[in-house]
């Protein structure tokens, strides 16, 4: 009933109000995975009929024909530098994200300058200098570059931040989301079901929170500098700290109900986890549909990404994989670039250069997804409830694969040391033991059960902010409170003073009474 009501509300909201608005997306992050999520949100708004203009530094992998894209590309030298940085980031594989971030601070300074350069580009400046441009909403992609929200100030438009992680101390300050370290574990930590946080977890959560505060302060210094650099020529611009109190909402790429952590959130937290995945799959190309649809024993999708294929897949490994796969009774769709030189012919294998991976994973006949543990592929398989055999090679792949195995969604083996027997046994284990598919399909059901899909949430809440010219009415008072007030330190201090005064008074009174009592009998003795 509630669901139907919410859907009705959503339908009405989708029909009325905020149509054809001018929306500006500032997606200047130098991380391709950030850009995928941010562009997916922009795409949802463009498909809805809004006039979306997007500023990026990288070439986006996802876009829409109606999006006006302003790309301010990096120089070749800088691109090389960044790919080295990301490679290093992947390799370090830090147990603690906070340590990783502190280590990355030097690189962050580099990114800061590159983003500032992009914002100073004449085509980008023209967005606010040219008075003919009117924007109803600014979406600011989070990359520790808060100062770019000065654009919203210039354009007198409300701003929504698009973050690419769950709510955490890294973002809470944007909208006054509470920290609650006693019941919210630190970012890279999880709590066992039906248990509270142990002393160690609370301590780690508390200290991590402080670590993030220090990190944020360091970031703020950089941000203030960049804010002056980009907007300093305008005396009408508010102080940086004032400007920062003006975020309407934050879109988070998470879904706490299924993924955790369970934590209190202010209403400005809007979760759009899975935005990069289509709500309803597009019909498959006829040859793939027929191949998968006819598979009486189910089908397997094998895709190792294009990076792996070229440089890391030895002919020997390919032969071993083919030997195993060609003997299965399941059908196999194998993503393979060079169709003139396939690993071998077999009736149960279909090679294809290009695959609509998301749509294939949605097919009910797909029983297993063999992948290279890229984040995108794992997310899609989790969304569609398909168990996985991950064959990671480098970068963040081994960590992604380990996290997937820990959740019980499948198994992992190294591609570089792949042997026929363990490969076959791994496949057979996942296909015959139902625990993997059960675990991932339970997750998938929870993940997809929402009053509004990720796409609908982006549209609804963007139009909400446009309709009401911001969302000051749902701002947390925490945004206007000092550290002392936010943590009730003054209240504790007052209570402590009262307690001390009370104790001192009690002590004095008791002393007085004792003196009275003990002095009386003395007098009696003397008499
Ligand atoms: C869309 O936005 C761009 C950028 O502000 C603007 O130049 C263009 O005129 C807008 N198009 C429409 C149809 O409003
Ligand atoms: C906050 O944003 C609104 C538009 O939503 C704008 O009118 C106002 O000047 C901004 N205030 C500050 C302090 O940035
Ligand atoms: C933290 O993250 C790393 C890699 O992402 C992972 O291996 C590790 O298990 C995580 N730690 C906890 C406590 O979850
Ligand atoms: C699928 O089945 C149909 C008939 O049910 C048959 O005509 C077609 O050849 C089959 N396709 C494949 C790829 O086996």
């Amino acid at each position: 009933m509630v669901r139907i009501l919410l859907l009705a509300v959503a339908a009405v909201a989708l029909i009325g109000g905020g149509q054809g608005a001018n929306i500006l997306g500032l997606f200047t992050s130098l991380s391709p995975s950030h850009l995928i999520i941010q562009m997916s949100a922009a795409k949802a708004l463009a498909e809805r009929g809004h006039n979306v203009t997007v500023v990026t530094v990288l070439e986006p992998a996802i876009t829409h024909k109606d999006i006006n894209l302003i790309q301010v590309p990096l120089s070749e030298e800088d691109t090389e530098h960044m790919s080295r940085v990301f490679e290093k980031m992947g390799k370090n594989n830090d147990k603690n994200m906070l340590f990783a971030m502190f280590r990355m601070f030097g690189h962050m300074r580099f990114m800061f300058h590159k983003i500032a350069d992009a914002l100073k580009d004449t085509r980008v400046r023209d967005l606010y200098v040219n008075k003919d441009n009117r924007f109803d909403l600014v979406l600011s992609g989070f990359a520790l570059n808060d100062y770019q929200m000065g654009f919203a100030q210039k354009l007198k438009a409300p701003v929504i931040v698009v973050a690419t992680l769950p709510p955490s101390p890294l973002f809470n300050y944007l909208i006054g989301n509470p920290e609650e370290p006693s019941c919210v574990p630190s970012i890279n930590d999880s709590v066992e079901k039906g248990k509270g946080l142990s002393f160690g977890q609370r301590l780690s959560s508390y200290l991590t929170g402080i670590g993030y505060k220090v990190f944020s302060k360091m970031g703020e210094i950089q941000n203030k500098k960049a804010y002056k650099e980009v907007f300093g020529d305008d005396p009408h611009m508010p102080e940086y700290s004032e400007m920062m109190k003006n975020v309407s909402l934050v879109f988070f790429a998470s879904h706490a109900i299924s993924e955790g952590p369970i934590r209190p959130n202010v209403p400005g937290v809007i979760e759009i986890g899975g935005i990069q995945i289509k709500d309803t799959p597009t019909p498959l190309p006829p040859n793939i549909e027929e191949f998968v649809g006819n598979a009486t024993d189910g089908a397997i999708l094998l895709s190792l990404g294009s990076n792996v294929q070229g440089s890391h897949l030895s002919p020997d490994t390919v032969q071993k994989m083919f030997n195993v796969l060609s003997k299965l009774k399941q059908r196999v769709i194998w993503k393979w670039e060079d169709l003139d030189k396939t690993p071998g012919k077999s009736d149960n294998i279909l090679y294809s250069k290009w695959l609509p991976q998301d749509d294939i994973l949605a097919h009910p006949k797909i029983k297993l997804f063999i992948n290279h543990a890229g984040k995108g592929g794992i997310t899609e398989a989790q969304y569609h409830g398909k168990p996985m055999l991950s064959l990671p090679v480098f970068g963040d792949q081994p960590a992604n694969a380990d996290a997937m195995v820990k959740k019980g969604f499948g198994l992992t083996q190294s591609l570089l040391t792949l042997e026929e027997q363990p490969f076959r046994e791994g496949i057979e284990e996942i296909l015959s033991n139902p625990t993997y598919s059960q675990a991932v399909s339970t997750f998938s059901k929870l993940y997809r059960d929402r009053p509004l899909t990720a796409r609908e949430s982006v549209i609804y809440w963007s139009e909400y902010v446009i309709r009401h010219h911001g969302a000051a009415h749902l701002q947390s008072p925490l945004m206007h409170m000092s550290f002392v007030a936010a943590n009730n330190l003054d209240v504790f201090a007052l209570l402590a003073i009262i307690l001390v005064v009370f104790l001192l008074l009690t002590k004095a009174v008791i002393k007085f009474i004792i003196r009275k009592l003990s002095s009386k009998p003395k007098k009696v003795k003397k008499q």
Side-chain angles (χ1 to χ4, degrees):
M1 188 59 208
V2 171
R3 197 147 179 223
I4 292 170
L5 215 76
L6 281 167
L7 283 177
V9 169
V12 170
L14 292 181
I15 293 161
Q19 281 277 29
N22 286 320
I23 299 174
L24 173 62
L26 296 173
F27 303 148
T28 47
S29 169
L30 303 187
S31 148
S33 60
H34 286 183
L35 198 55
I36 286 176
I37 286 165
Q38 291 158 357
M39 286 305 291
S40 302
K43 188 180 170 188
L45 292 165
E47 281 171 352
R48 168 90 172 130
H50 294 298
N51 181 22
V52 183
T53 303
V54 166
V55 176
T56 69
V57 175
L58 303 179
E59 167 95 43
I62 291 179
T63 186
H64 182 268
K65 62 179 174 37
D66 293 337
I67 291 180
N68 318 306
L69 181 68
I70 302 176
Q71 194 199 349
V72 188
L74 291 176
S75 69
E76 225 162 86
E77 194 185 330
D78 291 340
T79 306
E80 243 167 60
H81 177 87
M82 276 320 294
S83 63
R84 274 201 305 275
V85 168
F86 279 113
E87 198 177 325
K88 231 176 162 178
M89 262 199 223
K91 268 208 196 105
N92 281 331
N93 204 350
D94 278 278
K95 285 274 174 282
N96 188 320
M97 187 164 147
L98 191 58
F99 288 147
M101 289 173 56
F102 275 107
R103 208 192 4 247
M104 291 315 292
F105 208 81
H107 300 301
M108 250 159 229
R109 201 163 295 165
F110 170 83
M111 294 193 223
F112 252 93
H113 289 304
K114 292 303 146 190
I115 293 174
D117 287 349
L119 295 182
K120 283 187 280 187
D121 185 275
T122 44
R123 285 176 301 157
V124 180
R125 274 179 78 94
D126 184 67
L127 291 170
Y128 60 80
V129 171
N130 183 347
K131 294 296 171 215
D132 291 339
N133 282 330
R134 297 193 58 82
F135 286 100
D136 306 295
L137 175 66
V138 172
L139 299 178
S140 175
F142 183 89
L144 305 163
N145 52 341
D146 294 331
Y147 68 92
Q148 71 175 9
M149 282 190 262
F151 263 70
Q153 191 66 37
K154 282 270 191 194
L155 293 162
K156 306 245 173 306
V159 59
I160 296 178
V161 172
V162 187
T164 42
L165 288 167
S168 79
L170 194 53
F171 312 102
N172 286 338
Y173 68 90
L174 288 167
I175 42 171
N177 207 36
E179 300 289 354
E180 306 292 353
S182 68
C183 63
V184 182
S186 54
I187 281 190
N188 188 25
D189 211 353
S190 61
V191 184
E192 234 179 292
K193 287 235 161 58
K195 291 243 168 80
L197 268 69
S198 66
F199 177 77
Q201 280 175 317
R202 282 179 288 123
L203 185 66
S204 128
S205 176
Y206 192 79
L207 295 179
T208 307
I210 292 177
Y212 274 108
K213 287 240 164 59
V214 173
F215 187 82
S216 291
K217 278 283 164 219
M218 285 162 68
E220 196 180 309
I221 295 168
Q222 295 276 324
N223 267 290
K224 278 183 175 161
K225 257 196 232 154
Y227 182 70
K228 260 218 187 92
E229 210 182 299
V230 178
F231 304 108
D233 55 351
D234 181 354
H236 300 299
M237 289 294 275
E239 284 290 314
Y240 176 79
S241 53
E242 278 308 301
M243 189 245 346
M244 283 303 294
K245 290 178 186 162
N246 218 0
V247 175
S248 295
L249 307 170
V250 181
F251 288 156
F252 287 96
S254 60
H255 183 243
I257 296 172
S258 57
E259 300 172 319
I262 299 303
R263 66 167 346 273
N265 283 323
V266 294
V269 170
I270 306 297
E271 293 193 297
I272 61 161
I275 182 71
Q276 68 277 35
I277 304 169
K278 272 181 264 177
D279 294 347
T280 36
T282 314
L284 295 176
N287 67 323
I288 296 179
E289 174 59 48
E290 198 182 280
F291 185 76
V292 179
N294 280 7
T296 38
D297 293 301
I300 295 170
L301 174 61
L302 166 58
S303 170
L304 298 178
S306 24
N307 274 348
V308 172
Q309 199 134 6
S311 48
H312 294 276
L313 207 52
S314 72
D316 188 37
T317 307
V318 171
Q319 193 57 49
K320 286 174 187 160
M321 290 172 80
F322 177 79
N323 291 347
V324 171
L325 294 171
S326 59
K327 291 193 192 93
L328 295 173
K329 56 180 197 265
Q330 285 77 18
R331 290 189 169 178
V332 179
I333 305 177
W334 190 336
K335 182 168 187 280
W336 188 262
E337 307 280 331
D338 187 359
L339 292 182
D340 296 330
K341 246 175 72 188
T342 60
K345 254 187 156 359
S346 173
D347 282 345
N348 75 327
I349 300 181
L350 174 75
Y351 298 100
S352 179
K353 208 166 150 161
W354 175 83
L355 289 175
Q357 180 167 294
D358 185 15
D359 299 327
I360 294 176
L361 285 171
H363 200 289
K365 283 278 168 79
I366 295 290
K367 302 295 176 208
L368 169 64
F369 178 32
I370 303 176
N371 58 39
H372 66 302
K375 245 206 176 87
I378 289 186
T379 308
E380 285 172 4
Q382 288 182 173
Y383 182 88
H384 294 297
K386 300 299 155 91
M388 287 163 261
L389 175 61
S390 285
L391 309 175
V393 179
F394 59 88
D396 64 343
Q397 296 165 1
N400 294 342
D402 289 343
M404 182 276 290
V405 171
K406 215 165 143 190
K407 290 186 217 155
F409 298 168
L411 299 172
T412 178
Q413 292 173 4
S414 166
L415 182 65
L416 301 179
T417 59
L418 184 123
E419 289 301 333
E420 279 186 38
Q421 196 191 344
F423 185 54
R424 183 184 321 109
E425 285 171 358
I427 292 174
E428 279 167 2
E429 163 70 7
I430 298 172
L431 289 175
S432 62
N433 184 343
T435 55
Y436 306 101
S437 67
Q438 273 164 6
V440 71
S441 87
T442 300
F443 171 82
S444 161
K445 282 183 198 131
L446 283 179
Y447 191 69
R448 293 197 275 177
D449 196 346
R450 314 182 191 189
L452 294 178
T453 65
R455 232 179 127 265
E456 287 165 350
S457 297
V458 165
I459 293 169
Y460 177 85
W461 287 104
S462 298
E463 291 179 354
Y464 179 94
V465 169
I466 293 170
R467 275 198 295 280
H468 302 289
H469 309 289
H473 53 281
L474 52 75
Q475 188 177 52
S476 165
L478 216 47
M479 291 305 289
H480 303 280
M481 289 161 76
S482 66
F483 178 82
V484 168
N487 291 285
N488 264 339
L489 297 184
D490 46 358
V491 172
F492 293 145
L494 177 68
L495 292 182
I497 290 170
I498 291 175
L499 187 67
V500 169
V501 169
F502 176 75
L503 287 178
L504 288 178
L505 275 178
T506 312
K507 193 175 155 196
V509 168
I510 290 174
K511 250 189 184 160
F512 178 74
I513 292 174
I514 290 177
R515 212 167 43 228
K516 277 277 161 192
L517 288 179
S518 52
S519 59
K520 256 186 195 162
K522 260 185 200 165
K523 266 186 196 166
V524 172
K525 257 188 185 173
K526 268 188 184 173
Q527 275 178 347

